[in-house]
Amino acid sequence: MATAVEQNAIATTLRSWPERIRTFYNDVRTEMKKVTSPSLKEVQGTTTVVIITVFLFGLYFWGVDTLIGRGIDWVLRTLSHRG
């Protein structure tokens, strides 16, 4: 069973809840006023960078995958001929 101190703490927390929500929404509103949308040129530039980066990473991972796959094939073929 909850003590009087615990009940008082719970009641205080519940009473402060609406004020905390109000403060949170005021903070969100203040931060949203600082938000700006990027220009078309900025969007095109970052999109180009992303596409090029994805292409380069794709080539890199394809090369690493091919190298590891051939290495494993070579090891397995070598070990199977010795048996």
Side-chain angles (χ1 to χ4, degrees):
M1 185 161 221
T3 65
V5 174
E6 291 172 336
Q7 288 177 348
N8 189 24
I10 292 170
T12 304
T13 302
L14 289 175
R15 276 189 241 118
S16 69
W17 195 63
E19 182 60 34
R20 289 174 36 208
I21 290 175
R22 194 175 304 114
T23 302
F24 171 75
Y25 281 120
N26 285 336
D27 291 346
V28 169
R29 189 178 301 127
T30 302
E31 290 299 318
M32 287 304 294
K33 288 178 183 176
K34 299 176 186 177
V35 174
T36 59
S37 296
S39 67
L40 178 63
K41 189 172 184 174
E42 289 173 326
V43 171
Q44 289 174 337
T46 55
T47 301
T48 302
V49 168
V50 167
I51 290 171
I52 290 171
T53 303
V54 167
F55 180 74
L56 291 175
F57 272 98
L59 283 175
Y60 170 75
F61 286 121
W62 172 78
V64 170
D65 181 54
T66 301
L67 185 66
I68 291 172
R70 288 185 181 179
I72 290 172
D73 285 343
W74 178 81
V75 168
L76 292 175
R77 273 188 272 113
T78 302
L79 292 176
S80 68
H81 288 298
R82 292 182 183 221

